[in-house]
């Protein structure tokens, strides 16, 4: 369960239903600040509220906590370099250096060089050494989280910009 993805997914669900934070708060009988905290990743809704959200959006709680995000931009981590650098850097701010370096442990040398150029302030070698050996499942999970975030932000941008309604 990735808090960043959950928070962005909750924001996506709200926007895709044309609700403001105030609208959603009223429908759930909670404060707008609570909605804001979920969407910034400061907290997640409790079980009672998750049930209300699932009924409101006609999805399961599991769909909220582990969203299945359809590919919009990329389907594979190696495709990450096809996204314009400025846009990609903004998208990847959701992840810390350890998460990015972990994902890169399963990437090609070209993608590693691409990231080192994108984030010159991260000492990739030192971070890799600090992380040490990592299970391939952990690397794949982090790559999948990054792919999911990129695709979720792409869908959200389409909705926010009025392309998909």
């Amino acid at each position: 369960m990735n808090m960043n993805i959950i928070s962005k997914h909750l924001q996506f669900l709200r926007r895709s239903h044309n609700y403001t934070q105030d609208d959603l708060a009223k429908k759930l009988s909670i404060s707008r600040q609570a909605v804001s905290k979920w969407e910034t990743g400061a907290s997640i809704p409790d079980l009672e509220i998750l049930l209300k959200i699932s009924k409101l959006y006609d999805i399961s709680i599991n769909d909220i906590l582990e969203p299945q995000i359809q590919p919009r931009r990329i389907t594979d981590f190696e495709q990450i370099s096809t996204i314009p650098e400025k846009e990609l850097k903004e998208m990847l701010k959701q992840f810390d250096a350890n998460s990015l370096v972990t994902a890169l442990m399963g990437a090609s040398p070209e993608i590693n060089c691409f990231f080192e150029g994108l984030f010159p302030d991260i000492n990739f070698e030192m971070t890799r050494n600090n992380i040490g050996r990592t299970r391939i499942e952990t690397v794949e999970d982090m790559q999948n989280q990054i792919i999911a975030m990129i695709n979720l932000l792409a869908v959200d941008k389409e909705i926010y910009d009025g392309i998909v309604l």
Side-chain angles (χ1 to χ4, degrees), residues 20-97:
T20 64
Q21 287 184 345
D22 283 326
D23 295 336
L24 182 59
K26 287 175 186 168
K27 288 186 177 297
L28 299 174
S29 301
I30 58 168
S31 70
R32 187 206 52 81
Q33 289 83 358
V35 175
S36 177
K37 284 182 179 181
W38 306 335
E39 293 184 2
T40 58
S43 68
I44 61 171
D46 64 28
L47 188 55
E48 180 184 334
I49 299 297
L50 282 170
L51 186 57
K52 286 181 180 182
I53 293 169
S54 72
K55 287 179 181 176
L56 179 66
Y57 297 140
D58 194 28
I59 59 176
S60 72
I61 291 174
N62 195 52
D63 290 336
I64 297 168
L65 297 177
E66 295 182 5
Q68 300 301 311
I69 300 158
Q70 298 301 313
R72 286 294 246 240
R73 297 291 298 268
I74 62 174
T75 56
D76 182 81
F77 192 74
E78 291 294 316
Q79 296 171 329
I80 204 162
S81 63
T82 63
I83 299 171
E85 289 184 17
K86 183 178 179 184
E87 185 181 353
L88 180 60
K89 195 168 185 174
E90 186 65 31
M91 292 175 165
L92 293 176
K93 284 183 179 178
Q94 309 293 324
F95 298 92
D96 63 12

Side-chain angles (χ1 to χ4, degrees), residues 1 12 14 35 45 66 102 109 145:
M1 185 164 60
F12 163 76
R14 177 182 56 78
V35 175
E66 295 182 5
T102 298
Q145 287 183 37

